[in-house]
Amino acid sequence: MDVVYGVLVVLHLLGWAMVFGGVLAGLKGVTLNPGTFHGVLTALVTGIVLVGLASSGVAGHEPNNVKIAVKLVVALAVTALVVVGRRRPDVVTRGYLGGIAGLTALNVAIAVLWR
């Protein structure tokens, strides 16, 4: 099960990389890259599965529930921004994309720095 857990961690990180890269690519033309939507869904779903596996004791270690709750709130905010930006391209500005990029970087920083 550790191999499955490791693969899910890789997919989770790739999902956040897709969000961050898609937003940075979209800054040039002030558009929301379609890959951003797929990346945020990948990151959100794999994150939930990872927490479930770790909480059940099947793989990984017991997660810090406060940290996970904070990361989930940030991930849901990023997801909401991406979904709204996808449905209403007229609201997407450089600041909007910067907000998505900032929240994505914040989520990764919380994962790495919060012990």
Side-chain angles (χ1 to χ4, degrees), residues 5-67:
Y5 189 82
V7 169
L8 287 171
V9 169
V10 169
L11 289 173
H12 183 67
L13 294 174
L14 287 174
W16 284 120
M18 287 171 62
V19 174
F20 197 71
V23 168
L24 292 181
L27 281 173
K28 185 175 181 179
V30 191
T31 60
L32 192 60
N33 190 317
T36 307
F37 177 71
H38 301 292
V40 79
L41 290 182
T42 300
L44 188 62
V45 170
T46 56
I48 291 169
V49 172
L50 285 168
V51 171
L53 287 174
S55 294
S56 69
V58 174
H61 58 282
E62 187 67 30
N64 178 346
N65 290 326
V66 176
K67 174 182 170 180

Side-chain angles (χ1 to χ4, degrees), residues 32 37 80-92 96:
L32 192 60
F37 177 71
L81 287 171
V82 170
V83 169
V84 169
R86 184 175 185 218
R87 289 187 181 181
R88 296 189 46 216
D90 57 310
V91 300
V92 177
Y96 193 89

